[in-house]
PDB file of all heavy atoms in Angstrom:
ATOM      1  N   ASP A 201       8.789  18.049  28.099  1.00 97.00           N
ATOM      2  CA  ASP A 201       8.866  16.604  27.901  1.00 97.00           C
ATOM      3  C   ASP A 201       8.486  16.254  26.468  1.00 97.00           C
ATOM      4  O   ASP A 201       7.433  16.682  25.970  1.00 97.00           O
ATOM      5  CB  ASP A 201       7.919  15.891  28.864  1.00 97.00           C
ATOM      6  CG  ASP A 201       8.370  16.006  30.306  1.00 97.00           C
ATOM      7  OD1 ASP A 201       9.588  16.023  30.528  1.00 97.00           O
ATOM      8  OD2 ASP A 201       7.497  16.087  31.199  1.00 97.00           O
ATOM      9  N   ILE A 204       9.567  10.217  21.586  1.00 98.00           N
ATOM     10  CA  ILE A 204       9.951   9.795  20.237  1.00 98.00           C
ATOM     11  C   ILE A 204       8.778   9.078  19.573  1.00 98.00           C
ATOM     12  O   ILE A 204       8.165   8.179  20.159  1.00 98.00           O
ATOM     13  CB  ILE A 204      11.177   8.855  20.290  1.00 98.00           C
ATOM     14  CG1 ILE A 204      12.361   9.528  20.996  1.00 98.00           C
ATOM     15  CG2 ILE A 204      11.572   8.422  18.875  1.00 98.00           C
ATOM     16  CD1 ILE A 204      12.832  10.807  20.368  1.00 98.00           C
ATOM     17  N   THR A 205       8.482   9.496  18.355  1.00 98.00           N
ATOM     18  CA  THR A 205       7.415   8.845  17.575  1.00 98.00           C
ATOM     19  C   THR A 205       7.983   8.015  16.421  1.00 98.00           C
ATOM     20  O   THR A 205       7.310   7.112  15.931  1.00 98.00           O
ATOM     21  CB  THR A 205       6.437   9.878  17.000  1.00 98.00           C
ATOM     22  OG1 THR A 205       7.143  10.771  16.113  1.00 98.00           O
ATOM     23  CG2 THR A 205       5.800  10.701  18.124  1.00 98.00           C
ATOM     24  N   LEU A 249      15.350  22.264  13.524  1.00 97.00           N
ATOM     25  CA  LEU A 249      14.140  21.486  13.258  1.00 97.00           C
ATOM     26  C   LEU A 249      13.935  21.345  11.762  1.00 97.00           C
ATOM     27  O   LEU A 249      14.020  22.317  11.007  1.00 97.00           O
ATOM     28  CB  LEU A 249      12.934  22.155  13.902  1.00 97.00           C
ATOM     29  CG  LEU A 249      12.924  22.118  15.436  1.00 97.00           C
ATOM     30  CD1 LEU A 249      11.833  23.026  15.991  1.00 97.00           C
ATOM     31  CD2 LEU A 249      12.729  20.692  15.942  1.00 97.00           C
ATOM     32  N   PRO A 266      31.161   9.895  17.734  1.00 92.00           N
ATOM     33  CA  PRO A 266      31.456   8.699  18.532  1.00 92.00           C
ATOM     34  C   PRO A 266      31.904   8.992  19.953  1.00 92.00           C
ATOM     35  O   PRO A 266      31.514   8.286  20.899  1.00 92.00           O
ATOM     36  CB  PRO A 266      32.563   8.011  17.725  1.00 92.00           C
ATOM     37  CG  PRO A 266      32.335   8.456  16.320  1.00 92.00           C
ATOM     38  CD  PRO A 266      31.854   9.878  16.429  1.00 92.00           C
ATOM     39  N   ARG A 288      12.352  27.221  24.291  1.00 92.00           N
ATOM     40  CA  ARG A 288      12.687  28.384  23.475  1.00 92.00           C
ATOM     41  C   ARG A 288      13.426  27.932  22.216  1.00 92.00           C
ATOM     42  O   ARG A 288      14.182  26.969  22.247  1.00 92.00           O
ATOM     43  CB  ARG A 288      13.555  29.362  24.252  1.00 92.00           C
ATOM     44  CG  ARG A 288      12.852  29.986  25.447  1.00 92.00           C
ATOM     45  CD  ARG A 288      13.762  31.002  26.129  1.00 92.00           C
ATOM     46  NE  ARG A 288      13.145  31.518  27.346  1.00 92.00           N
ATOM     47  CZ  ARG A 288      13.733  32.386  28.161  1.00 92.00           C
ATOM     48  NH1 ARG A 288      14.954  32.841  27.885  1.00 92.00           N
ATOM     49  NH2 ARG A 288      13.111  32.806  29.253  1.00 92.00           N
ATOM     50  N   VAL A 298      15.596  37.878   6.209  1.00 92.00           N
ATOM     51  CA  VAL A 298      16.386  38.029   4.985  1.00 92.00           C
ATOM     52  C   VAL A 298      15.849  39.186   4.161  1.00 92.00           C
ATOM     53  O   VAL A 298      14.625  39.275   3.955  1.00 92.00           O
ATOM     54  CB  VAL A 298      16.351  36.715   4.171  1.00 92.00           C
ATOM     55  CG1 VAL A 298      16.969  36.901   2.795  1.00 92.00           C
ATOM     56  CG2 VAL A 298      17.059  35.605   4.918  1.00 92.00           C
ATOM     57  N   LEU A 307      22.851  27.072   0.775  1.00 98.00           N
ATOM     58  CA  LEU A 307      24.023  26.213   0.678  1.00 98.00           C
ATOM     59  C   LEU A 307      24.165  25.414   1.969  1.00 98.00           C
ATOM     60  O   LEU A 307      24.338  25.987   3.049  1.00 98.00           O
ATOM     61  CB  LEU A 307      25.292  27.052   0.454  1.00 98.00           C
ATOM     62  CG  LEU A 307      25.254  28.108  -0.653  1.00 98.00           C
ATOM     63  CD1 LEU A 307      26.644  28.743  -0.818  1.00 98.00           C
ATOM     64  CD2 LEU A 307      24.787  27.529  -1.973  1.00 98.00           C
ATOM     65  N   GLY A 323       6.708  27.320   3.211  1.00 88.00           N
ATOM     66  CA  GLY A 323       6.103  28.089   2.128  1.00 88.00           C
ATOM     67  C   GLY A 323       6.463  29.555   2.075  1.00 88.00           C
ATOM     68  O   GLY A 323       6.182  30.227   1.088  1.00 88.00           O
ATOM     69  N   TRP A 326       8.627  30.892  -0.926  1.00 95.00           N
ATOM     70  CA  TRP A 326       8.043  30.908  -2.274  1.00 95.00           C
ATOM     71  C   TRP A 326       7.419  32.256  -2.598  1.00 95.00           C
ATOM     72  O   TRP A 326       7.358  32.656  -3.762  1.00 95.00           O
ATOM     73  CB  TRP A 326       6.978  29.808  -2.389  1.00 95.00           C
ATOM     74  CG  TRP A 326       7.457  28.453  -1.967  1.00 95.00           C
ATOM     75  CD1 TRP A 326       7.105  27.770  -0.835  1.00 95.00           C
ATOM     76  CD2 TRP A 326       8.399  27.618  -2.639  1.00 95.00           C
ATOM     77  NE1 TRP A 326       7.762  26.559  -0.775  1.00 95.00           N
ATOM     78  CE2 TRP A 326       8.548  26.437  -1.875  1.00 95.00           C
ATOM     79  CE3 TRP A 326       9.114  27.734  -3.838  1.00 95.00           C
ATOM     80  CZ2 TRP A 326       9.400  25.403  -2.247  1.00 95.00           C
ATOM     81  CZ3 TRP A 326       9.963  26.702  -4.208  1.00 95.00           C
ATOM     82  CH2 TRP A 326      10.103  25.556  -3.414  1.00 95.00           C
ATOM     83  N   GLN A 330      11.914  34.963  -6.428  1.00 97.00           N
ATOM     84  CA  GLN A 330      11.544  34.455  -7.741  1.00 97.00           C
ATOM     85  C   GLN A 330      12.175  33.100  -8.021  1.00 97.00           C
ATOM     86  O   GLN A 330      11.539  32.209  -8.600  1.00 97.00           O
ATOM     87  CB  GLN A 330      11.994  35.453  -8.816  1.00 97.00           C
ATOM     88  CG  GLN A 330      11.617  35.078 -10.232  1.00 97.00           C
ATOM     89  CD  GLN A 330      12.032  36.145 -11.228  1.00 97.00           C
ATOM     90  OE1 GLN A 330      12.034  37.339 -10.912  1.00 97.00           O
ATOM     91  NE2 GLN A 330      12.371  35.734 -12.436  1.00 97.00           N
ATOM     92  N   GLN A 347      15.875  12.707   0.154  1.00 98.00           N
ATOM     93  CA  GLN A 347      15.697  12.866  -1.293  1.00 98.00           C
ATOM     94  C   GLN A 347      14.236  12.812  -1.703  1.00 98.00           C
ATOM     95  O   GLN A 347      13.812  13.501  -2.643  1.00 98.00           O
ATOM     96  CB  GLN A 347      16.505  11.802  -2.033  1.00 98.00           C
ATOM     97  CG  GLN A 347      18.011  11.990  -1.925  1.00 98.00           C
ATOM     98  CD  GLN A 347      18.441  13.368  -2.386  1.00 98.00           C
ATOM     99  OE1 GLN A 347      18.439  13.664  -3.576  1.00 98.00           O
ATOM    100  NE2 GLN A 347      18.812  14.234  -1.453  1.00 98.00           N
ATOM    101  N   SER A 357       7.104  22.991  -6.893  1.00 93.00           N
ATOM    102  CA  SER A 357       7.664  24.336  -7.018  1.00 93.00           C
ATOM    103  C   SER A 357       7.393  25.018  -8.350  1.00 93.00           C
ATOM    104  O   SER A 357       7.648  26.202  -8.493  1.00 93.00           O
ATOM    105  CB  SER A 357       9.179  24.278  -6.815  1.00 93.00           C
ATOM    106  OG  SER A 357       9.825  23.721  -7.952  1.00 93.00           O
ATOM    107  N   ILE A 376      27.561  17.194  -8.706  1.00 98.00           N
ATOM    108  CA  ILE A 376      28.868  17.797  -8.946  1.00 98.00           C
ATOM    109  C   ILE A 376      29.879  17.135  -8.023  1.00 98.00           C
ATOM    110  O   ILE A 376      29.646  17.001  -6.831  1.00 98.00           O
ATOM    111  CB  ILE A 376      28.826  19.315  -8.684  1.00 98.00           C
ATOM    112  CG1 ILE A 376      27.836  20.004  -9.636  1.00 98.00           C
ATOM    113  CG2 ILE A 376      30.204  19.929  -8.820  1.00 98.00           C
ATOM    114  CD1 ILE A 376      27.651  21.494  -9.359  1.00 98.00           C
ATOM    115  N   GLU A 390      26.989  27.870 -10.583  1.00 98.00           N
ATOM    116  CA  GLU A 390      26.098  28.829 -11.237  1.00 98.00           C
ATOM    117  C   GLU A 390      25.651  28.332 -12.610  1.00 98.00           C
ATOM    118  O   GLU A 390      24.511  28.577 -13.030  1.00 98.00           O
ATOM    119  CB  GLU A 390      26.792  30.188 -11.333  1.00 98.00           C
ATOM    120  CG  GLU A 390      26.933  30.865  -9.979  1.00 98.00           C
ATOM    121  CD  GLU A 390      28.070  31.887  -9.940  1.00 98.00           C
ATOM    122  OE1 GLU A 390      29.249  31.481 -10.009  1.00 98.00           O
ATOM    123  OE2 GLU A 390      27.758  33.083  -9.847  1.00 98.00           O
ATOM    124  N   LEU A 420      32.353  35.299  -1.648  1.00 98.00           N
ATOM    125  CA  LEU A 420      31.252  36.227  -1.897  1.00 98.00           C
ATOM    126  C   LEU A 420      31.656  37.668  -1.597  1.00 98.00           C
ATOM    127  O   LEU A 420      31.206  38.601  -2.278  1.00 98.00           O
ATOM    128  CB  LEU A 420      30.031  35.827  -1.071  1.00 98.00           C
ATOM    129  CG  LEU A 420      29.442  34.438  -1.369  1.00 98.00           C
ATOM    130  CD1 LEU A 420      28.218  34.197  -0.490  1.00 98.00           C
ATOM    131  CD2 LEU A 420      29.094  34.275  -2.848  1.00 98.00           C
ATOM    132  N   LYS A 427      28.008  40.216   4.920  1.00 96.00           N
ATOM    133  CA  LYS A 427      27.139  39.544   5.879  1.00 96.00           C
ATOM    134  C   LYS A 427      25.930  40.419   6.209  1.00 96.00           C
ATOM    135  O   LYS A 427      26.049  41.643   6.338  1.00 96.00           O
ATOM    136  CB  LYS A 427      27.910  39.213   7.161  1.00 96.00           C
ATOM    137  CG  LYS A 427      28.960  38.133   6.964  1.00 96.00           C
ATOM    138  CD  LYS A 427      29.645  37.799   8.271  1.00 96.00           C
ATOM    139  CE  LYS A 427      30.701  36.710   8.092  1.00 96.00           C
ATOM    140  NZ  LYS A 427      31.388  36.388   9.364  1.00 96.00           N
ATOM    141  N   HIS A 428      24.804  39.757   6.368  1.00 95.00           N
ATOM    142  CA  HIS A 428      23.567  40.473   6.694  1.00 95.00           C
ATOM    143  C   HIS A 428      23.450  40.661   8.193  1.00 95.00           C
ATOM    144  O   HIS A 428      23.594  39.724   8.976  1.00 95.00           O
ATOM    145  CB  HIS A 428      22.363  39.689   6.179  1.00 95.00           C
ATOM    146  CG  HIS A 428      21.052  40.244   6.648  1.00 95.00           C
ATOM    147  ND1 HIS A 428      20.641  41.532   6.305  1.00 95.00           N
ATOM    148  CD2 HIS A 428      20.073  39.730   7.442  1.00 95.00           C
ATOM    149  CE1 HIS A 428      19.457  41.755   6.862  1.00 95.00           C
ATOM    150  NE2 HIS A 428      19.102  40.685   7.554  1.00 95.00           N
ATOM    151  N   ARG A 430      20.930  42.895  11.128  1.00 82.00           N
ATOM    152  CA  ARG A 430      19.664  43.630  11.237  1.00 82.00           C
ATOM    153  C   ARG A 430      19.868  45.129  11.118  1.00 82.00           C
ATOM    154  O   ARG A 430      19.049  45.837  10.526  1.00 82.00           O
ATOM    155  CB  ARG A 430      18.975  43.280  12.556  1.00 82.00           C
ATOM    156  CG  ARG A 430      18.315  41.909  12.546  1.00 82.00           C
ATOM    157  CD  ARG A 430      17.560  41.638  13.824  1.00 82.00           C
ATOM    158  NE  ARG A 430      16.713  40.459  13.701  1.00 82.00           N
ATOM    159  CZ  ARG A 430      15.969  39.976  14.676  1.00 82.00           C
ATOM    160  NH1 ARG A 430      15.949  40.567  15.866  1.00 82.00           N
ATOM    161  NH2 ARG A 430      15.226  38.904  14.497  1.00 82.00           N
TER     162      ARG A 430
END
Side-chain angles (χ1 to χ4, degrees):
D201 292 326
I204 303 301
T205 61
L249 291 169
R288 295 183 185 178
V298 171
L307 311 185
W326 308 108
Q330 182 177 328
Q347 291 305 287
S357 75
I376 299 175
E390 290 157 291
L420 298 181
K427 291 183 180 179
H428 172 63
R430 284 184 168 178

